[in-house]
Amino acid sequence: MYCLELAGEADDESLAALEAERAAATAVERVAPGLATARGVRLGRVPTLAYTHRVSELVGRTDADVESAVALLRAASVDRTGSVAVRGRDVRSSSGVSASAAERALGGVLVDRGFEVDLDDPDHVLRACFSDGTCLLGWEAAASVRDFGTRAPTDRPFFQPGSMNPLDARAYVNLAAGPALPDATVVDPMCGTGGILIEAGLVGARAVGNDAQWKMSRGARENLGAYLPDAEWDVVRGDATALPLRDDTADAVVFDAPYGRQSKIARHELADLVGGALAEAARVAPAAVLVADRPWADEAEDAGWAVDARFERRVHRSLDRHVHVLSRA
């Protein structure tokens, strides 16, 4: 069993758990605010997760107080050698437990067992996560790479307002293509500046982009060339309702639909554009994630999709994003 430390806010937890389960873990169960357990984990995929910080091999679960954590560790077998460190967390300040007090007490148990404490470069890290009424103890096994700030949309060679942040783009790629990663082909039929494609390429997928606007397709190529110099990718200019791709040529489709502040998008009405793009997505791939400013569940079902999950996420006061996680019906 494993302990997962979830990233984001409380409203992100359902999405975080599903992302982990689709891209890296099995039988994920949320057990307390910011914490989940999993039966199995592909540890090599954990660095690519967006909404999971760390994964630990679970020692056990107990009440959220230092005495209970100490008793749990004393009763546990520890089949490890080398130096250790203890890292405590009061997750989202929900338990009232002093992390430093937990670190001292648990470190004392390990010293009594003959371990040397090395706070700077330990061979093993014991994580004590306290949340609400629960404590999970585990040996850290993998962590996600939190480098999303290095790819801010405004720092890319080509930028347009409204671009999705890399953290969310990574999560949506994992939700759609997770089971097939890293050997997956991910298509974005409305790729804009290429943010989703960049994250797809960085997790090992072949990224294929399409956009109706020449400026966008050219700018996406510029961005992908900067961030994916050694990866395999393609970007073309075309119509999202008539993709130049063969049937079942991809593993997943991920796209951020236009937000419809105007009455027409190129030559299509917005509903026709989104419905047509969904139908094309179902033709070329068995899984998809659609992000939009409104629910499109009915249109997705009409296009041949089953809606596995839908999340409503606040961007700012005047915009909520609706995230549809789809599988071919």
Side-chain angles (χ1 to χ4, degrees), residues 46-89:
V46 173
T48 69
L49 294 177
Y51 278 93
T52 296
H53 277 303
R54 294 178 185 84
V55 171
S56 302
E57 295 180 22
L58 189 64
V59 172
R61 175 178 176 178
T62 188
D63 296 333
D65 58 74
V66 173
E67 294 77 12
S68 296
V70 167
L72 174 60
L73 184 59
R74 282 179 175 152
S77 61
V78 181
D79 187 18
R80 294 169 186 264
T81 59
S83 60
V84 298
V86 179
R87 309 289 189 223
R89 279 190 68 199

Side-chain angles (χ1 to χ4, degrees), residues 6-14 16 34 51 92 313:
L6 305 179
E9 304 298 326
D11 291 344
D12 298 319
E13 288 194 5
S14 295
Y51 278 93
R92 297 185 184 147
R313 311 189 67 212

Side-chain angles (χ1 to χ4, degrees), residues 233-247:
W233 54 267
D234 295 287
V235 177
V236 299
R237 181 188 179 193
D239 187 339
T241 69
L243 294 173
L245 299 171
R246 294 190 300 271
D247 294 357

